[in-house]
Amino acid sequence: MSQPTPSMSFDGMQVFLQKIADAVSDLRSALESNDMERLPAALDQTNVALDAINQYPGGAEKLKADINQFPEDQKYRLMSLLDEASVNHQINGDLIRLAMQRSAAMQSFIAQQAPSATYDSEGGVPGSVGGVLSRKV
């Protein structure tokens, strides 16, 4: 069985993958707790971590190939970290989509509650001249 590239020992690979898993996990935690103060830093850390995978010589596929060159027990530990990061990354995408939907729903609700969203007591539209929506109608 061939060995991984000399520049990336098992310990080096484990530290590399642990940093990625931690960054993605921290973003998930910030999203789940709706911690808006922590969110920008967590997003930045996650972007740096994902860029590190993309900048890995040969990309994500080469990273997996290098992991597969380690002995079985080490490979299992490394793949567990990579899998954890992958699952959290997918969950983060879902949480971000939900947050965007929640935000859109709140904006819609707030807009519907505004006085300008209703008719006045005489059937006109508040803020319009003469109670008419359009002069062309």
Side-chain angles (χ1 to χ4, degrees), residues 31-34 36 95-109:
L31 288 167
E32 286 177 337
S33 64
N34 205 21
M36 293 300 136
L95 290 170
I96 289 169
R97 280 187 287 283
L98 287 171
M100 290 171 56
Q101 289 173 352
R102 184 173 45 242
S103 175
M106 289 301 295
Q107 288 175 1
S108 177
F109 177 77

Side-chain angles (χ1 to χ4, degrees), residues 60-114:
E61 291 306 313
K62 178 71 168 116
L63 175 62
K64 287 180 184 178
D66 287 351
I67 290 171
N68 284 326
Q69 294 177 9
F70 285 100
E72 213 46 49
D73 62 326
Q74 292 177 340
K75 177 171 66 171
Y76 176 78
R77 292 192 335 217
L78 295 174
M79 286 304 286
S80 293
L81 288 171
L82 193 58
D83 289 344
E84 175 188 335
S86 177
V87 167
N88 281 333
H89 182 61
Q90 290 173 351
I91 291 171
N92 288 347
D94 291 340
L95 290 170
I96 289 169
R97 280 187 287 283
L98 287 171
M100 290 171 56
Q101 289 173 352
R102 184 173 45 242
S103 175
M106 289 301 295
Q107 288 175 1
S108 177
F109 177 77
I110 290 168
Q112 289 174 355
Q113 301 304 313

